[in-house]
Amino acid sequence: MASLTSCVAFWGLGFPNGTGLGWSFLADSFDGSLPFNIAVPTLHARVIGALYLAATVVCVLNIFSRGWDEAWLGTWMILLWTGSILGITLTHQEFFDWTKPSVWFWFVAYVGFPAVAAWLLKRRTVGNVSPAGRRLSTAAKIYLAIQGVALIVLAFVLQFSPAAAAAIWPWAIIPLLSRFYSAPLVTFGLTSLVSTRCRSGLEVRSLALALAVMAASLIAASCLHRDKFNFTGPAAWIWFGSLVVIGIANLTIAVTSCWPAREIVKSPQQVRTSS
């Protein structure tokens, strides 16, 4: 899965309009690498690339996780993300170009990935002992809860009221892309809420690092296309401000999750009691 998500990230972020090299084994542009029959504007291509770069981070961290306690939340995200995309795919088949071979890769991937993720989650359970590392702080849990609610609300607006979403979005957006954006957002939102039940920071590291990378990539892409933003209204400022908060907060959670756990120093009375 990481190879496919990194491919979308490569084209979306790096070469939305193609490499210009004319190599036959490469797609001619971001649109050429996707199975759709619609043209994806450059800014949207980079936004999709940023989202899939975050997905690549989740996949890579799952590959190198030291145990199921560290990997289960990433597997949960893969199930939500791919399952949501599958649902959108089945309800918008008119947007697919069935002459492209990438259509069949798309359908195989978005049927197979959620099925495998669901199978893994069903047969594996999280252990009673959280991974080694710092305990997830109360402040982090409060932030994750707020982040989760905000992302879920935004995802529902994008999915079920694309006209309202277009009215508040900081640049022009079409209904298909509005619904497409809702899948990763609801994934990150629900996972943020689930993360508030975790004990160790290492359990939520994949979510936090993915969101930090996503925010940084979206800020860079938005700066490249700042002419698309209207800074006379609040939407653009809310967009950039929210990304800065998401990036800093989640990077802090990700970094502190790697710090060694504090040792609990027992008092003499506790030592005598335990002995």
Side-chain angles (χ1 to χ4, degrees):
M1 182 176 177
S3 60
L4 295 178
T5 57
S6 61
C7 180
V8 176
F10 169 81
W11 283 111
L13 281 173
F15 303 98
N17 299 314
T19 61
L21 298 176
W23 292 342
S24 58
F25 59 87
L26 285 177
D28 56 354
S29 65
F30 181 71
D31 291 341
S33 66
L34 292 179
F36 304 129
N37 56 18
I38 62 172
V40 179
T42 304
L43 176 55
H44 286 284
R46 288 203 159 104
V47 170
I48 294 171
L51 294 172
Y52 273 80
L53 181 60
T56 304
V57 170
V58 173
C59 294
V60 171
L61 288 177
N62 258 27
I63 292 171
F64 291 100
S65 62
R66 294 174 295 179
W68 181 243
D69 282 330
E70 289 185 25
W72 75 270
L73 198 65
T75 307
W76 162 260
M77 282 190 279
I78 291 171
L79 172 62
L80 286 178
W81 187 309
T82 56
S84 300
I85 293 292
L86 177 61
I88 296 169
T89 296
L90 294 176
T91 54
H92 290 282
Q93 296 184 43
E94 70 276 8
F95 290 106
F96 286 84
D97 183 351
W98 296 91
T99 64
K100 291 183 175 181
S102 55
V103 169
W104 306 106
F105 286 105
W106 179 277
F107 273 89
V108 170
Y110 283 104
V111 170
F113 290 145
V116 172
W119 176 74
L120 287 172
L121 287 168
K122 182 178 180 180
R123 71 184 298 268
R124 300 293 295 271
T125 56
V126 182
N128 294 325
V129 180
S130 295
R134 289 210 166 204
R135 183 176 292 274
L136 190 64
S137 68
T138 302
K141 291 182 178 182
I142 292 173
Y143 169 77
L144 288 169
I146 296 172
Q147 174 178 268
V149 171
L151 291 177
I152 290 171
V153 169
L154 180 57
F156 270 72
V157 173
L158 288 167
Q159 177 64 231
F160 299 108
S161 186
I168 63 174
W169 207 250
W171 70 85
I173 186 172
I174 62 175
L176 174 63
L177 292 177
S178 173
R179 292 189 172 97
F180 186 87
Y181 290 158
S182 70
L185 292 181
V186 77
T187 297
F188 289 135
L190 288 173
T191 308
S192 295
L193 292 182
V194 171
S195 296
T196 61
R197 304 296 300 274
C198 294
R199 290 175 289 175
S200 169
L202 284 180
E203 289 184 89
V204 304
R205 181 179 57 178
S206 59
L207 168 68
L209 191 55
L211 282 171
V213 169
M214 181 200 73
S217 302
L218 287 176
I219 290 172
S222 300
C223 289
L224 283 174
H225 299 278
R226 56 187 177 276
D227 57 307
K228 302 292 185 182
F229 292 83
N230 179 15
F231 288 95
T232 60
W237 296 104
I238 293 174
W239 171 262
F240 279 95
S242 299
L243 290 177
V244 169
V245 171
I246 290 173
I248 293 175
N250 284 280
L251 182 61
T252 302
I253 294 173
V255 170
T256 55
S257 72
C258 299
W259 291 355
R262 294 179 181 141
E263 293 185 0
I264 300 175
V265 180
K266 294 184 178 181
S267 66
Q269 183 178 0
Q270 289 174 315
V271 172
R272 287 194 299 270
T273 303
S274 61
S275 60

